[in-house]
Amino acid sequence: MTRPDGSPVRVLVVDDEPDLAEVVTGALRYEGWEVRSAATAAAALDTARDLRPDAVVLDIMLPDGDGLSVLRELRAEQPHVCVVFLTARDTVEDRVAGITAGGDDYVTKPFALAELVARVRGLLRRAGMTRELTQEALLTVGDLVMDEDAHEVTRGGEPIDLSPTEFQLLRCLMRNPRLVLSKAQLLDLVWSYDFGGRAHVVELYISYLRKKIDAGREPMIHTVRGAGYVLKPVA
């Protein structure tokens, strides 16, 4: 997914929690997008004027103001920007206030990074602010093919049935072929932020994937001892 002129999608992440901002920014950069972050309302508006983002992931509670005020100023200057609220405030009243103020979507903490990315992609697509390149429509690593929109996976032309979590885990690996991803990175990307899970959850789902992806075939999913996991096409 790119902008209509072929340049990278631009996203601004606004949150005063450094760790959260870092993992969200990292997940969005995995998409090949240009991503910047800001920790305050003032910094968010300054960065938005410079970046001219296509989408903003916006916390409601900020140290020098609130996200609703930031949204109003953003809309005044950039009326077509897509805005996803990301907040711990999860009452019906909070959601209604966020959407009424002009937010396009509302995600509450804790959340799954993969879901957040999918929501941003969906908003941008519906807003007509991006174009899908033919080569990006499918993820292909060797004879392993994933259709992200249809949620279908094949290897050697044979369909593979995956659970939603297995699909998101494989997606992370396929978007980063030959790159070793640590258990901590995969926990952040696939499971909920602040999930509090342990590495054994990643190990368990990797084992599920291996049974479905590599069973009876030359393996593509490899363990790098002490570092994590990597997906490689068969030589």
Side-chain angles (χ1 to χ4, degrees):
M1 174 180 282
T2 67
R3 306 178 85 208
D5 63 2
S7 63
V9 169
R10 300 172 185 170
V11 184
L12 172 61
V13 176
V14 185
D15 201 292
D16 63 338
E17 295 182 51
D19 290 343
L20 185 148
E22 182 179 354
V23 296
V24 171
T25 297
L28 295 170
R29 282 178 178 156
Y30 274 126
E31 300 293 312
W33 299 345
E34 179 182 351
V35 188
R36 299 189 202 174
S37 63
T40 66
L45 292 170
D46 286 343
T47 304
R49 292 182 185 111
D50 179 55
L51 179 64
R52 306 295 296 179
D54 303 297
V56 178
V57 178
L58 179 62
D59 191 5
I60 287 183
M61 296 178 288
L62 297 169
D64 60 339
D66 66 85
L68 299 180
S69 298
V70 172
L71 172 60
R72 283 190 285 271
E73 293 198 47
L74 280 172
R75 287 276 192 238
E77 298 180 16
Q78 302 174 52
H80 301 298
V81 66
C82 297
V83 177
V84 179
F85 280 118
L86 182 61
T87 177
R89 297 167 66 169
D90 60 355
T91 67
V92 172
E93 291 78 7
D94 288 327
R95 291 173 180 266
V96 170
I99 299 301
T100 302
D104 298 292
D105 206 344
Y106 196 103
V107 177
T108 57
K109 305 172 185 176
F111 60 95
L113 282 166
E115 179 186 359
L116 175 62
V117 172
R119 288 183 184 229
V120 174
R121 288 174 61 92
L123 285 175
L124 290 168
R125 186 183 297 113
R126 289 193 294 275
M129 299 173 67
T130 62
R131 66 186 177 97
E132 299 282 353
L133 300 180
T134 302
Q135 61 265 33
E136 290 183 348
L138 301 176
L139 293 178
T140 303
V141 180
D143 63 348
L144 185 64
V145 179
M146 171 180 285
D147 185 326
E148 295 181 271
D149 290 334
H151 273 235
E152 295 176 348
V153 176
T154 62
R155 183 169 180 191
E158 297 181 12
I160 298 171
D161 185 29
L162 300 178
S163 71
T165 301
E166 291 166 350
F167 184 90
Q168 295 298 347
L169 179 57
L170 181 62
R171 178 177 180 270
C172 290
L173 294 170
M174 291 188 70
R175 292 190 73 85
N176 299 278
R178 303 181 186 276
L179 178 67
V180 178
L181 297 177
S182 70
K183 293 175 184 176
Q185 286 176 308
L186 291 171
L187 274 172
D188 279 342
L189 289 167
V190 178
W191 284 267
S192 297
Y193 179 76
D194 283 342
F195 167 68
R198 297 293 182 263
H200 71 82
V201 175
V202 179
E203 295 168 3
L204 180 64
Y205 275 87
I206 286 289
S207 72
Y208 292 161
L209 275 184
R210 281 180 166 144
K211 290 176 182 177
K212 295 182 177 183
I213 301 298
D214 290 342
R217 307 178 178 95
E218 193 168 345
M220 296 180 67
I221 301 172
H222 303 273
T223 300
V224 179
R225 191 172 300 277
Y229 302 97
V230 60
L231 183 75
K232 296 180 182 179
V234 174

